[in-house]
């Protein structure tokens, strides 16, 4: 008898099988799960077996992040990181500290600032000038849909009073029509294209830091939602290949190739070539990312009806006929499509495009999915299940914060406010739920997102929950972060649940959230992360 290399005993173990069953032990050998249940596992324990005593802590299939940007998040962590700043003053203090710790004349780069910390959601160039001096600065905001630039950066980039707003973007302006310092959507490129090239070694270091941080959060597999150049960031695909070829890619990675909205279906042969280039040991890219709109906070999410108070209906990046043509062609070539859709118009456009592809090509194995889903018209909820489209949820957004109460709710109106993040309605209609963080837009912390999905409020937050009738239970939230995400990205044959023959991709939490009050779920940390039988994170170091 060949004994186990590692045995987890003293459960509980959530298998995430179709009936949500639990067991109490798991044995691992050769990177695979070889047995479950204490009786079978103990027979495989020998003197050479590493025995992990769970001591009542929960063992899960490895958590998976179905929508994330590890290169961006890693860069933010190694640059001027404004993540979790609690005020405009703290943002400025962090920038000042970074400038002092990194002297010179080069660009100040980084980001992570939250729109809700600034008046009207828009920071000014003048306040940034005070802490950066003459050094140019460009700081991407938390949601990756805008940036904060100082006067030097705007001047070096030629962005002036007479600079027109680019297609798909907007320059925030002061009362005199001058650039005020905030750039929305494609307007970021007006400055971003003037930032000096970053050495490849820094991007590799950033991607490794992003991977390390995901493992620290219990994540064993993830979907990089943009493989292509975007918002001044480079295409991450080559860096992933470099890590994969060097056996430094310790997570399982799928990704979506970026759809260039300035081109049409003539780009598909190039996407097919990039799909072949991406095929690696722990890397693959079988889907294409199409961004359909922006975000509600800056009125660029595409809406069926205008925002209140004269802010228009948002930005639709593609018209419906063009989108349907693209999706039909991609579907025919075996690509899944990963849509960014925040507003109810964008969500409907995505659903209509997939419906057109189903009519044209018939039912395929392609796993199309729509991410974000902030505002969904009630008539469209059941279409996810009917069309077999994955609802890719960024659950951490579904709570009341300043961005919601001051920048979003007043402009949506009561009816649309009550249609936000309809997790329970989607679940009850039979839709497959997947869970992604969209890090660095929000934290790469699956258990924090699980908390919000269950409570519709952040850990420790005393604000009223956001539409608590749309909460899901803990089992459904964890399923979305494991088997649901695995199915979304066609990784479920080997990952996403615990059973003999599946890969030993496992996450041990520091406690059992099923035994905690709901209000404490989000404080659950990660003790150990394993991919293919190899420990890639341990809280013990």
């Amino acid at each position: 008898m060949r004994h186990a290399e590692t045995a987890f005993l003293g459960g509980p173990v959530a298998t995430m099988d179709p009936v949500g069953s639990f067991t109490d032990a798991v044995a691992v050998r050769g990177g695979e799960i070889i047995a479950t249940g204490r009786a079978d596992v103990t027979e495989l324990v020998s003197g050479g077996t590493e025995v992990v005593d769970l001591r009542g802590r929960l063992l899960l299939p490895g958590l998976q992040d179905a929508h994330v940007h590890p290169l961006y998040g890693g860069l933010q962590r190694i640059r001027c990181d404004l993540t979790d700043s609690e005020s405009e003053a703290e943002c400025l203090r962090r920038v000042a500290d970074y400038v002092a710790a990194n002297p010179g004349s080069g660009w100040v780069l980084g980001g992570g600032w939250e729109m809700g910390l600034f008046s009207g959601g828009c920071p000014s160039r003048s306040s940034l000038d005070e802490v950066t001096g003459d050094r140019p600065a460009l700081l991407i905001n938390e949601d990756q849909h805008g940036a904060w630039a100082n006067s030097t950066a705007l001047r070096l980039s030629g962005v002036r009073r007479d600079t027109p707003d680019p297609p798909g973007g907007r320059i925030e302006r002061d009362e005199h029509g001058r650039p005020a310092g905030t750039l929305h959507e494609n307007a970021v490129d007006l400055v971003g294209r003037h930032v000096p090239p970053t050495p490849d070694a820094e991007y590799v270091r950033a991607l490794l830091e992003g991977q390390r941080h995901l493992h620290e959060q219990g994540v064993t597999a993830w979907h990089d939602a943009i493989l292509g150049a975007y918002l001044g960031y480079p295409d991450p695909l080559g860096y992933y290949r470099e890590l994969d070829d060097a056996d430094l890619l310790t997570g399982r990675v799928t990704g979506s190739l970026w759809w260039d909205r300035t081109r049409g279906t003539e780009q598909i042969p190039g996407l097919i070539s990039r799909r072949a280039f991406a095929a690696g040991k722990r890397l693959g890219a079988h889907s294409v990312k199409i961004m359909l709109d922006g975000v509600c906070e800056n009125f660029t999410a595409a809406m069926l009806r205008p925002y209140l108070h004269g802010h228009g209906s948002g930005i639709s990046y593609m018209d419906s006929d063009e989108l349907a043509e693209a999706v039909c062609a991609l579907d025919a070539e075996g690509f899944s499509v990963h849509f960014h859709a925040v507003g109810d118009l964008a969500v409907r456009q995505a659903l209509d495009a997939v419906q057109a592809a189903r009519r044209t090509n018939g039912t395929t194995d392609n796993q199309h999915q729509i991410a974000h889903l902030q505002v969904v018209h009630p008539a469209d909820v059941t279409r996810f299940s009917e069309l077999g489209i994955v609802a890719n949820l960024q659950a951490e957004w579904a709570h009341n914060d300043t961005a919601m109460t001051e920048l979003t709710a007043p402009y949506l109106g009561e009816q649309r406010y009550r249609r936000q993040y309809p997790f329970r309605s989607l679940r009850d209609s039979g839709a497959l739920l997947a869970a992604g963080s969209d890090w660095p837009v929000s934290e790469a912390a699956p258990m924090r997102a699980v908390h919000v999905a269950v409570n519709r409020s952040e850990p420790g937050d005393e604000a009223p929950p956001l539409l608590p009738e749309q909460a899901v239970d803990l089992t459904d939230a964890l399923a979305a972060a494991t088997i649901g995400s695995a199915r979304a990205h066609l990784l479920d044959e080997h990952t996403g649940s615990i059973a003999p023959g599946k890969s030993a991709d496992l996450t041990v939490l520091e406690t059992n959230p099923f035994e905690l009050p709901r209000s404490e779920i989000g404080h659950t940390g990660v003790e150990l992360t394993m991919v293919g039988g190899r420990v890639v994170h341990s809280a013990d170091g």
Side-chain angles (χ1 to χ4, degrees), residues 83-417:
T83 304
D84 292 335
S85 295
E86 295 184 352
S87 65
E88 178 179 3
E90 183 178 354
C91 285
L92 292 168
R93 178 186 58 76
R94 289 194 188 187
V95 175
D97 290 346
Y98 179 85
V99 169
N102 296 271
S105 58
W107 283 66
V108 178
L109 302 173
W113 55 272
E114 181 183 344
M115 293 179 68
L117 303 179
F118 300 88
S119 176
C122 298
S124 71
R125 57 183 168 84
S126 58
S127 62
L128 192 53
D129 292 345
E130 294 178 5
V131 293
T132 55
D134 294 332
R135 292 177 65 177
L138 183 67
L139 302 167
I140 306 299
N141 76 353
E142 180 185 52
D143 64 23
Q144 305 291 299
H145 286 267
W148 184 10
N150 68 359
S151 297
T152 303
L154 293 167
R155 176 176 54 78
L156 290 175
S157 304
V159 179
R160 302 181 295 269
R161 185 201 309 262
D162 58 354
T163 302
D165 289 344
R170 187 175 82 248
I171 302 167
E172 198 70 32
R173 302 175 191 273
D174 64 17
E175 66 273 18
H176 304 293
R178 298 172 301 197
T182 301
L183 304 168
H184 302 288
E185 302 294 341
N186 289 353
V188 178
D189 293 337
L190 298 175
V191 175
R193 67 174 68 120
H194 295 278
V195 175
T198 296
D200 285 341
E202 184 172 343
Y203 287 132
V204 170
R205 182 164 71 96
L207 189 52
L208 285 169
E209 171 60 18
Q211 175 175 255
R212 186 203 64 77
H213 185 61
L214 287 171
H215 289 331
E216 183 179 48
Q217 301 298 323
V219 175
T220 59
W222 61 88
H223 185 86
D224 194 309
I226 297 181
L227 296 181
Y230 172 71
L231 206 67
Y233 294 114
D235 179 2
L237 181 54
Y239 303 112
Y240 275 119
R241 275 304 308 263
E242 183 175 338
L243 295 186
D244 196 32
D245 291 344
D247 293 324
L248 295 175
L249 193 60
T250 50
R252 302 186 194 279
V253 181
T254 58
S256 284
L257 304 170
W258 181 245
W259 181 261
D260 183 348
R261 298 188 301 269
T262 67
R263 303 166 62 201
T265 54
E266 72 273 10
Q267 65 189 286
I268 291 179
L271 294 172
I272 293 171
S273 296
R274 281 166 53 74
R275 176 172 61 186
F277 172 74
K281 289 168 284 189
R282 286 191 170 173
L283 177 65
H286 302 287
S287 65
V288 172
K289 169 72 172 289
I290 299 182
M291 186 173 287
L292 296 183
D293 66 346
V295 294
C296 289
E297 291 87 348
N298 63 9
F299 315 113
T300 57
M303 294 293 177
L304 290 166
R305 294 184 295 105
Y307 294 93
L308 303 185
H309 311 302
H311 287 285
S313 298
I315 299 175
S316 291
Y317 289 133
M318 297 178 69
D319 67 49
S320 296
D321 290 342
E322 177 189 16
L323 179 63
E325 179 187 10
V327 174
C328 287
L330 290 166
D331 182 71
E333 292 294 344
F335 282 107
S336 300
V337 180
H338 189 119
F339 299 94
H340 166 117
V342 171
D344 53 9
L345 173 58
V347 173
R348 182 165 293 177
Q349 285 183 307
L351 291 165
D352 289 347
V354 173
Q355 186 171 38
R358 299 289 193 228
R359 289 171 176 168
T360 301
N361 303 328
T363 301
T364 68
D365 293 332
N366 302 326
Q367 194 65 278
H368 304 302
Q369 54 193 292
I370 307 176
H372 308 326
L373 303 170
Q374 180 165 349
V375 182
V376 182
H377 192 280
D380 290 326
V381 169
T382 60
R383 298 178 69 195
F384 285 80
S385 176
E386 292 164 0
L387 293 168
I389 298 175
V390 176
N392 191 315
L393 311 179
Q394 283 60 64
E396 195 181 340
W397 303 356
H399 64 92
N400 278 310
D401 59 2
T402 304
M404 176 61 68
T405 59
E406 296 186 10
L407 302 179
T408 301
Y411 304 96
L412 290 180
E414 180 64 22
Q415 187 179 62
R416 282 185 300 200
Y417 174 84

Side-chain angles (χ1 to χ4, degrees), residues 501-517:
K502 284 212 164 185
S503 177
D505 292 12
L506 303 167
T507 301
V508 179
L509 302 180
E510 67 178 11
T511 187
N512 179 6
F514 286 97
E515 295 183 346
L516 296 176

